[in-house]
Amino acid sequence: MLFERDNIIGVSKYLLLTGCGAMLFLSCSQSSDTRENSETLPVSVSEPVERDFAEIKRNGVLRMITSYSSGSYFLYKGVQVGFEYELLKAFTKENDLALEVVITGPDESPYDLLNSGRGDIIAANYTITPERKQVVEFTRPYNMVDQLIVVSDDLGFKPESISDMEGIPISVRRNSSYYVRLKELKDEGFPVNINIIPEDMDTESVLFQVADGTYEATVADDNIFDAADKYMNGLIKGPLIAESDTIAWAVRKNAPDLEYQLNRFLYKHFRFDEDGVPKRSAFLNVLRKKYFESGNQIADYYSPNYQGEQYGTISPYDNMIREVADEMDVDWVMLTAIAAQESKFNPSSVSWAGAVGIMQVLPRFSEISSDSLYIPEVNIREGAKILASHLDHYAYMDSTNKWSFALAAYNAGSGHLADARRLTIDHNKNPNEWEDVSESLLKLMQRKYYQNARYGFCRGIETVRYVNEIMNRYSTYQTILAHNREKTATGTGVLGLKTFN
């Protein structure tokens, strides 16, 4: 049985090239009782909250803790993408869940975000290490990678062994498997000079700093380096220092049901055969090729042309949406989140119901001609106009409820929302609280409720999910913008990632 092989998956071999060219194999991922572990991770939340798969299902949202990087999660022409994001999105789709992205901010510990309940799973290309296993539980692996030294070409040479790195600082985060491996090598007596850098710098960000000469060297997984090497100049691949690290998702130690469901999903996409050779599903191979082998999408995103005036921080229509939002006095980031949800910014999009354009406006509810609604600016303005009218209708509510009701009306129509509010009153609940009304929207999918409703059957689950996903996307966009402002202030470009020709 393939599951029976799990207890040996965590055993990795490390390849160290010495100065005289000999090879020494070392074990890295042994159990915590056989490996020296004198240092612990920076964790302040020691007791994880009680939130397992059943509660996640009840809430309908799985929260993904990750970093903003091409290997995990980023925006491509306004659309949410990334290897980790797409893989976990497939899991949430199978389980009828919405996926919320929680980007780790400066001075934030992903382990604290997990155990405090702000997130449910760490999906950020994490290597399984005994140090990490002290504070989280890992799923089955879904990838295997090698660690290698990467140096700046400003050094003027290609190191062939770890011994060639004597006197050269290797910059890594303390909260990384790279630090653990370098510390092991240093304890073994090899000439390793470790330079600790800020925790909010993901591997990709550090590679940019190495490429421009800010740092002389770092460590990266081979898949991340291969992807970065396609769109960064100035990187030199150095010696391999770790082989066959297992990559997995991390969950709370008291969430066995969530771990079980994730393992069932991963089993379909990544296994080991009888000889220990990894076997991947077609879906996983497509994702690997898309993000780590072809590199075209990622190269486009970080090219100077892509970051030119025709594109914005979030979408290709940032400037246009800002202008329209200012005219209509609505939040431009929320308007952008709606456009992403409705059409993925495709001006030619047409829904099954006949809604068209970026904001998916129904021609029968617009005074604008159908052909004109395919013009981005016209469509955005019409969508914003409709949204503004809904916001005005619920202006007496607090901000969160006002937006939730306006989004629900934009998606399902004011009639269905009115039915849901009347049903909420019938059940002695608050018709001005989205949490109560969303329950009524779900009830309107049942015959005993919708047969007496003025507007009949409503696909309430779609509207509830629509509101949740847009609110989650809005929060993610705000985080990305905040990161961008911070990095721009320090002169390190979009989210700290410098661009190269």
Side-chain angles (χ1 to χ4, degrees):
M1 294 288 292
L2 288 171
F3 272 125
E4 294 173 350
R5 301 185 61 85
D6 284 359
N7 61 347
I8 66 168
I9 290 172
V11 180
S12 303
K13 290 183 178 180
Y14 289 91
L15 173 61
L16 175 65
L17 300 180
T18 64
C20 57
M23 294 187 296
L24 174 64
F25 288 90
L26 300 171
S27 174
C28 139
S29 299
Q30 299 167 351
S31 61
S32 58
D33 60 343
T34 60
R35 174 178 171 180
E36 181 180 356
N37 185 29
S38 59
E39 300 179 77
T40 58
L41 295 172
V43 175
S44 59
V45 180
S46 56
E47 293 295 328
V49 299
E50 295 291 338
R51 178 177 160 85
D52 206 344
F53 190 68
E55 184 174 349
I56 292 170
K57 284 288 288 183
R58 281 195 298 271
N59 294 339
V61 178
L62 180 72
R63 303 185 184 103
M64 165 191 179
I65 302 166
T66 193
S67 61
Y68 192 95
S69 65
S70 64
S72 297
Y73 169 85
F74 66 102
L75 299 180
Y76 180 69
K77 298 182 179 180
V79 178
Q80 295 173 294
V81 292
F83 177 85
E84 299 282 0
Y85 177 80
E86 289 204 42
L87 184 58
L88 197 52
K89 185 72 173 178
F91 169 79
T92 57
K93 184 177 181 179
E94 284 187 12
N95 289 274
D96 200 26
L97 294 167
L99 180 60
E100 178 180 347
V101 178
V102 179
I103 299 174
T104 307
D107 303 320
E108 285 186 324
S109 164
Y111 309 105
D112 286 344
L113 293 176
L114 179 69
N115 287 326
S116 67
R118 287 181 60 189
D120 301 308
I121 179 173
I122 301 175
N125 197 64
Y126 268 28
T127 301
I128 300 174
T129 66
E131 190 178 32
R132 288 171 171 167
K133 288 179 72 174
Q134 291 181 4
V135 294
V136 297
E137 198 68 50
F138 280 100
T139 64
R140 294 174 55 87
Y142 55 88
N143 201 5
M144 296 185 72
V145 298
D146 299 333
Q147 291 184 22
L148 52 89
I149 298 291
V150 182
V151 302
S152 171
D153 65 1
D154 289 350
L155 292 178
F157 79 104
K158 175 181 171 65
E160 300 295 338
S161 73
I162 193 68
S163 297
D164 292 341
M165 298 299 297
E166 185 170 5
I168 300 173
I170 304 174
S171 301
V172 295
R173 303 179 312 278
R174 168 64 187 84
N175 179 20
S176 70
S177 59
Y178 308 144
Y179 172 84
V180 174
R181 180 58 184 144
L182 291 175
K183 185 71 166 50
E184 285 182 340
L185 293 175
K186 187 172 184 177
D187 292 344
E188 294 272 343
F190 293 96
V192 176
N193 182 4
I194 305 175
N195 176 42
I196 303 298
I197 58 177
E199 291 296 333
D200 61 335
M201 296 186 67
D202 57 68
T203 303
E204 189 173 49
S205 301
V206 182
L207 287 172
F208 269 100
Q209 303 282 24
V210 172
D212 74 357
T214 301
Y215 296 132
E216 294 182 81
T218 190
V219 179
D221 291 341
D222 59 340
N223 59 342
I224 297 178
F225 171 81
D226 289 342
D229 195 42
K230 291 178 172 62
Y231 60 93
M232 293 185 203
N233 294 326
L235 298 177
I236 294 179
K237 184 177 181 179
L240 197 70
I241 63 169
E243 188 177 63
S244 300
D245 273 351
T246 48
I247 305 298
W249 290 329
V251 298
R252 287 179 288 272
K253 282 183 170 293
N254 61 348
D257 292 339
L258 175 59
E259 180 190 355
Y260 172 75
Q261 295 296 334
L262 291 167
N263 281 339
R264 286 185 60 190
F265 169 79
L266 292 173
Y267 180 78
K268 295 184 294 184
H269 298 290
F270 187 93
R271 313 179 187 182
F272 289 85
D273 66 15
E274 295 178 353
D275 298 320
V277 177
K279 299 295 183 182
R280 298 176 175 87
S281 68
F283 171 69
L284 191 57
N285 279 327
V286 167
L287 286 187
R288 281 165 50 83
K289 183 175 182 180
K290 179 177 181 180
Y291 290 104
F292 299 121
E293 296 175 17
S294 66
N296 295 334
Q297 183 175 192
I298 299 168
D300 285 348
Y301 179 74
Y302 289 116
S303 73
N305 290 334
Y306 181 84
Q307 297 295 347
E309 293 182 357
Q310 71 270 37
Y311 293 111
T313 302
I314 297 177
S315 80
Y317 298 99
D318 277 7
N319 292 336
M320 188 181 296
I321 292 174
R322 280 177 183 271
E323 182 178 340
V324 171
D326 286 344
E327 292 177 14
M328 301 291 178
D329 194 26
V330 297
D331 189 321
W332 81 272
V333 180
M334 187 67 83
L335 198 60
T336 307
I338 296 170
Q341 182 80 12
E342 291 286 354
S343 68
K344 296 183 178 179
F345 306 103
N346 178 6
S348 301
S349 178
V350 180
S351 76
W352 64 269
V356 303
I358 292 174
M359 298 295 294
Q360 290 291 276
V361 176
L362 283 165
R364 66 178 181 272
F365 294 137
S366 173
E367 298 177 356
I368 305 297
S369 68
S370 298
D371 290 342
S372 296
L373 287 175
Y374 288 98
I375 301 172
E377 184 175 359
V378 172
N379 191 280
I380 292 170
R381 183 167 277 103
E382 278 296 284
K385 180 180 176 181
I386 295 169
L387 181 65
S389 68
H390 292 314
L391 288 169
D392 288 343
H393 185 74
Y394 303 107
Y396 57 90
M397 299 181 179
D398 63 72
S399 178
T400 299
N401 279 309
K402 179 176 71 173
W403 272 107
S404 297
F405 278 88
L407 291 171
Y410 192 92
N411 176 258
S414 298
H416 287 306
L417 195 55
D419 282 345
R421 297 183 74 191
R422 284 190 288 268
L423 185 57
T424 303
I425 294 173
D426 291 343
H427 284 80
N428 296 316
K429 293 188 177 182
N430 190 344
N432 296 328
E433 284 291 333
W434 171 247
E435 184 174 348
D436 292 338
V437 176
S438 63
E439 293 178 2
S440 296
L441 279 169
L442 298 178
K443 287 185 173 69
L444 288 175
M445 297 173 63
Q446 302 175 38
R447 180 177 175 80
K448 66 178 180 179
Y449 294 113
Y450 72 71
Q451 66 181 356
N452 298 317
R454 183 175 300 176
Y455 291 90
F457 174 85
C458 176
R459 181 71 174 165
I461 190 171
E462 291 183 358
T463 301
V464 172
R465 182 178 294 132
Y466 177 88
V467 173
N468 288 340
E469 290 186 351
I470 289 180
M471 296 294 275
N472 293 339
R473 183 178 286 108
Y474 175 79
S475 177
T476 302
Y477 283 176
Q478 290 285 27
T479 302
I480 292 171
L481 289 168
H483 279 231
N484 187 49
R485 286 192 294 269
E486 178 183 346
K487 298 301 183 181
T488 299
T490 60
T492 53
V494 177
L495 288 168
L497 306 180
K498 294 190 177 182
T499 55
F500 295 81
N501 290 319

